[in-house]
């Protein structure tokens, strides 16, 4: 009797969505709420919930280890129909020119995925400043047009995490300066053709707290680690792979100078061939907050 006084769609129920690894929130009508209460009171709660609520979207592509999932045309319509808000999602840049996005469903972490050769047409929707502010992560893969990257970066203002893989970074690296101060986490994988690019890009990102680099097989004749420390004094996590120094002495000097400049360092992973005990001693002396150390 009393349940009939409840109006449809006035109650908000939060349900766990295991496929996405996060929670979604939607408006449920009276019948759904009553069935939910009955199911929750029984010993077979989980199995009944799955039968009552088709609350997982029809097409979801999970991207481990980030646990982001890719929003597709079908899943967007699913969320929109149920007035659900998405809290953790990856969206391909080309999707924006294909569908009419309901930006209100996007909430929390939104990662923009740029595949190879992003076109000017792909970035037209980003002139909407309200949506541009929702993007907090960028995943860039493959070669990109420098002019397109310049326009896109000028429209993004809250990007804090950038992942660049197998891209022609040298042709558009200067555009990173437009979002550099906002970036807290930066990953570069197989995208640097010259060692001095490390100094350039870290110079654009003075507020980095996490940096991951895979530098190829080039030999460094400069103090790469010291330049990183000078550019990014707040660094707490550093992962560097495949840097080769000309001599062991140069490697030790660079790592020792880095340790002095980065006392806040908490995690360090280095894949160098020339590491010696002297380098480790310097880390122990100067990086008192170091919790994780991986040397290979």
């Amino acid at each position: 009797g009393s349940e009939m006084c409840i109006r449809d769609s006035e109650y908000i129920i939060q349900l766990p969505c295991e496929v996405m690894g996060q929670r979604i929130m939607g408006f449920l009508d009276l019948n759904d709420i009553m069935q939910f209460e009955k199911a929750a009171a029984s010993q077979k709660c989980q199995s009944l919930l799955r039968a009552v609520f088709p609350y997982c979207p029809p097409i979801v592509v999970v991207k481990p280890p980030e646990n982001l999932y890719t929003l597709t045309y079908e899943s967007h319509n699913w969320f929109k129909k149920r007035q659900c808000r998405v809290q953790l999602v990856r969206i391909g840049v080309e999707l924006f020119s294909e569908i009419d996005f309901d930006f209100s469903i996007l909430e929390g972490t939104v990662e923009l995925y740029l595949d190879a050769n992003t076109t000017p047409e792909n970035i037209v929707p980003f002139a909407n400043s309200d949506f541009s502010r929702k993007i907090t992560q960028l995943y860039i893969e493959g070669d990109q047009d420098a002019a397109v990257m310049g326009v896109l970066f000028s429209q993004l203002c809250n990007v804090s995490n950038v992942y660049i893989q197998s891209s022609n970074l040298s042709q558009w690296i200067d555009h990173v300066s437009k979002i550099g101060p906002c970036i807290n986490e930066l990953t570069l994988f197989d995208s640097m053709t010259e060692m001095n690019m490390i100094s350039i890009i870290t110079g654009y990102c003075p507020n980095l707290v996490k940096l991951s680099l895979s530098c190829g097989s080039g030999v460094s004749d400069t103090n790469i680690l010291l330049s990183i420390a000078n550019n990014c004094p707040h660094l707490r996590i550093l992962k560097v792979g495949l840097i080769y120094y000309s001599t062991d002495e140069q490697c030790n000097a660079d790592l020792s100078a880095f340790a002095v400049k980065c006392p806040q360092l908490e995690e360090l992973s280095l894949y160098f061939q020339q590491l010696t005990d002297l380098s480790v001693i310097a880390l122990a002396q100067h990086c008192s907050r170091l919790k994780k150390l991986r040397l290979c």
Side-chain angles (χ1 to χ4, degrees):
S2 60
E3 287 91 344
M4 298 308 294
C5 297
I6 303 175
R7 296 178 181 177
D8 291 357
S9 302
E10 281 192 349
Y11 279 70
I12 299 177
I13 301 295
Q14 192 174 50
L15 302 174
C17 187
E18 296 178 358
V19 173
M20 293 181 284
Q22 291 287 318
R23 292 181 179 272
I24 63 175
M25 186 173 290
F27 295 91
L28 307 177
D29 62 28
L30 175 60
N31 290 332
D32 287 337
I33 293 173
M34 294 175 63
Q35 292 183 67
F36 172 77
E37 291 174 345
K38 292 178 181 179
S42 71
Q43 294 181 349
K44 298 181 180 180
C45 176
Q46 293 300 314
S47 61
L48 287 175
L49 281 176
R50 292 189 179 93
V52 173
F53 300 111
Y55 58 82
C56 290
I59 299 179
V60 170
V61 182
V62 179
K63 296 286 186 179
E66 304 97 328
N67 292 326
L68 294 172
Y69 64 92
T70 299
L71 195 66
T72 63
Y73 178 86
E74 292 84 359
S75 56
H76 172 267
N77 287 341
W78 187 93
F79 285 119
K80 184 175 181 180
K81 180 179 179 181
R82 290 162 177 80
Q83 298 182 11
C84 293
R85 293 192 291 271
V86 182
Q87 295 184 357
L88 188 66
V89 66
R90 171 178 292 173
I91 306 176
V93 65
E94 68 281 353
L95 197 62
F96 287 96
S97 57
E98 296 177 0
I99 66 176
D100 181 17
F101 260 94
D102 180 1
F103 299 131
S104 63
I105 75 168
L106 302 175
E107 184 177 272
T109 299
V110 177
E111 180 182 276
L112 181 65
Y113 175 69
L114 278 67
D115 205 343
N117 298 319
T118 301
T119 66
E121 290 75 17
N122 292 150
I123 64 172
V124 168
F126 296 96
N128 184 322
S129 59
D130 290 338
F131 176 71
S132 298
R133 285 193 291 267
K134 293 179 182 290
I135 297 176
T136 59
Q137 301 188 24
L138 277 179
Y139 190 110
I140 303 171
E141 183 176 6
D143 293 343
Q144 302 292 337
D145 182 274
V148 172
M149 298 298 284
V151 174
L152 178 63
F153 282 13
S154 65
Q155 296 174 346
L156 302 177
C157 57
N158 287 324
V159 174
S160 60
N161 189 330
V162 177
Y163 188 105
I164 303 173
Q165 177 175 341
S166 303
S167 186
N168 57 335
L169 177 61
S170 61
Q171 298 181 25
W172 51 268
I173 189 171
D174 290 342
H175 295 307
V176 177
S177 61
K178 298 177 181 179
I179 61 172
C182 298
I183 300 176
N184 299 129
E185 299 184 16
L186 176 63
T187 299
L188 301 174
F189 182 79
D190 194 24
S191 295
M192 288 177 293
T193 56
E194 300 175 2
M195 285 293 175
N196 68 335
M197 292 176 62
I198 299 176
S199 299
I200 295 173
I201 197 167
T202 54
Y204 293 147
C205 308
N207 297 313
L208 280 183
V209 295
K210 181 178 180 180
L211 176 62
S212 300
L213 302 171
S214 178
C215 305
S217 57
V219 177
S220 174
D221 292 323
T222 58
N223 296 326
I224 293 297
L225 295 180
L226 179 57
S227 67
I228 292 175
N230 287 332
N231 292 333
C232 309
H234 309 295
L235 202 63
R236 295 184 180 180
I237 301 174
L238 177 63
K239 300 179 181 181
V240 181
L242 301 179
I243 285 183
Y244 295 89
Y245 289 89
S246 300
T247 64
D248 294 353
E249 290 77 13
Q250 186 181 26
C251 179
N252 285 327
D254 194 16
L255 184 53
S256 299
F258 168 82
V260 174
K261 292 280 188 176
C262 283
Q264 300 183 57
L265 198 68
E266 298 178 2
E267 297 184 23
L268 180 64
S269 297
L270 298 176
Y271 300 82
F272 297 171
Q273 289 188 342
Q274 297 95 345
L275 285 172
T276 68
D277 291 346
L278 294 177
S279 303
V280 181
I281 291 172
L283 288 170
Q285 289 176 335
H286 301 288
C287 299
S288 60
R289 299 183 181 181
L290 196 63
K291 301 175 182 178
K292 296 182 180 180
L293 177 63
R294 181 175 182 178
L295 305 176
C296 182

